[in-house]
């Protein structure tokens, strides 16, 4: 059973139903999932962090704008009795977390951003080789009979029945990803034209085997949009770090959170 010891509930926030898992006690830590997953992606991470924090893992609403979702999540924190919070987000969830921090910088005490960049400029990089590394583009760049229909938004192994025994994806989590309505009919994402500097400490995590660390210096890019300290490290995975390398992800997050507690005098 996923999220052992957590409660599962739905709460209406700004007329929108938010489904989430909740557990633990202490300062609020909100974990925001990436695409194309749901809150279930955190099932190996949340229980370990709940020893020192109240951990909430909500399903996002990508059909709503970043601004709307940020306001919703702040209201959700209010409804749980928490004014301040720490946010961790993977991929798309990191973008939502940054929007929350931009809207209410005094409330967000820290950010943990996994496999995410602050909308970097691709000038000089957007050649054919770069474009063909994108998942959908690589299918369109191949000769017939490779069908464009293969440009799905989910990893191919998710469609295997059953999930292979050596997969790092939990069958129960995959079932939630495939059955959830989170990514149905959502609008395309684009970064806002302007964003305020991040005011809180930031931890950046990325996969050693992925593209982000190979193409960029993630820490330097986040430092350029942050007024506070930015630290980071590469973990031995590709993209789905909380599921690929949960122990390493937990360790990195716990070390960062412990340092935050010490600096706050807790």
């Amino acid at each position: 059973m996923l999220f052992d010891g957590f409660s599962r509930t739905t709460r209406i926030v700004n007329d929108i139903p938010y489904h989430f898992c909740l557990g633990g006690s202490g300062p609020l830590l909100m974990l925001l999932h990436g695409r194309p997953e749901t809150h279930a992606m955190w099932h190996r991470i949340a229980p370990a962090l709940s020893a020192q924090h109240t951990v909430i893992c909500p399903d996002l609403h990508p059909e709503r704008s970043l601004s709307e979702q940020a306001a919703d999540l702040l209201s959700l924190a209010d409804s749980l009795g928490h004014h301040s919070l720490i946010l961790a987000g993977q991929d798309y969830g990191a973008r939502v977390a940054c929007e929350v921090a931009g809207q209410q910088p005094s409330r967000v005490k820290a950010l943990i951003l996994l496999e995410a960049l602050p909308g970097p400029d691709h000038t000089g990089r957007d050649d054919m080789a770069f474009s063909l590394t994108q998942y959908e583009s690589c299918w369109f760049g191949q000769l017939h009979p490779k069908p464009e229909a293969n440009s799905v938004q989910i990893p191919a192994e998710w469609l295997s029945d059953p999930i292979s025994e050596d997969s790092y994806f939990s069958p129960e989590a995959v079932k939630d990803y495939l059955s959830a309505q989170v990514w149905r009919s959502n609008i395309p994402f684009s970064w806002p034209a302007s964003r305020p500097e991040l005011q809180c400490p930031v931890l950046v995590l990325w996969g050693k085997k992925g593209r982000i660390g190979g193409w960029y210096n993630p820490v330097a890019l986040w430092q350029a949009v942050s007024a506070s300290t930015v630290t980071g490290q590469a973990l031995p995975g590709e993209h789905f770090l909380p599921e690929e390398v949960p122990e390493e992800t937990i360790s990195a997050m716990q070390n960062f959170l412990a340092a935050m507690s010490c600096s706050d005098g807790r």
Side-chain angles (χ1 to χ4, degrees):
M1 179 180 177
L2 304 185
F3 294 98
D4 186 32
F6 277 55
S7 62
R8 302 164 188 264
T9 188
T10 298
R11 189 164 294 192
I12 304 299
V13 180
N14 298 331
D15 297 324
I16 302 296
Y18 273 82
H19 309 286
F20 58 89
C21 284
L22 180 70
S25 61
L28 184 63
L29 173 60
M30 187 175 289
L31 306 181
L32 305 180
H33 64 81
R35 178 173 184 150
E37 298 169 298
T38 67
H39 75 279
M41 68 163 284
W42 298 106
H43 69 94
R44 292 189 175 104
I45 304 296
L49 299 177
S50 66
Q52 300 294 328
H53 291 81
T54 298
V55 179
I56 180 173
C57 306
D59 279 344
L60 297 173
H61 285 271
E63 75 282 358
R64 290 172 67 74
S65 69
L66 289 182
S67 178
E68 290 171 330
Q69 290 184 85
D72 293 344
L73 294 174
L74 287 166
S75 295
L76 182 57
D78 287 335
S79 73
L80 296 171
H82 290 268
H83 177 75
S84 62
L85 68 160
I86 297 170
L87 295 111
Q90 192 262 354
D91 186 67
Y92 178 81
R95 298 166 177 173
V96 179
C98 288
E99 183 68 17
V100 176
Q103 279 195 18
Q104 294 287 338
S106 64
R107 295 185 61 178
V108 177
K109 301 307 179 183
L111 288 170
I112 302 173
L113 308 175
L114 295 79
E115 277 291 304
L117 296 172
D121 183 0
H122 292 301
T123 302
R125 188 182 295 276
D126 53 351
D127 56 8
M128 181 178 290
F130 178 84
S131 296
L132 289 178
T133 61
Q134 308 303 311
Y135 186 76
E136 292 85 355
S137 301
C138 74
W139 290 107
F140 286 93
Q142 297 183 57
L143 298 177
H144 183 80
K146 290 291 184 182
E148 287 83 350
N150 280 328
S151 61
V152 295
Q153 294 291 327
I154 58 175
E157 66 174 299
W158 288 11
L159 300 177
S160 301
D161 188 16
I163 298 294
S164 62
E165 290 185 2
D166 60 349
S167 173
Y168 47 76
F169 292 115
S170 159
E172 193 174 348
V174 170
K175 182 179 179 180
D176 192 73
Y177 304 156
L178 295 176
S179 62
Q181 299 295 315
V182 173
W183 299 107
R184 308 288 171 84
S185 304
N186 61 291
I187 60 174
F189 171 81
S190 61
W191 274 109
S194 62
R195 289 169 288 118
E197 278 191 320
L198 299 175
Q199 301 297 315
C200 61
V202 177
L203 171 66
V204 184
L205 302 175
W206 65 93
K208 287 182 180 179
K209 302 175 185 177
R211 296 187 299 226
I212 286 181
W215 288 341
Y216 306 101
N217 181 337
V219 172
L221 288 174
W222 284 107
Q223 283 175 332
V225 297
S226 301
S228 187
T229 57
V230 179
T231 57
Q233 67 183 92
L235 301 181
E238 292 185 41
H239 181 69
F240 300 98
L241 301 179
E243 292 170 293
E244 292 178 77
V245 287
E247 295 303 321
E248 292 88 343
T249 303
I250 290 169
S251 178
M253 294 178 70
Q254 286 179 329
N255 289 341
F256 176 73
L257 293 169
M260 287 293 304
S261 296
C262 291
S263 66
D264 289 342
R266 295 198 300 269

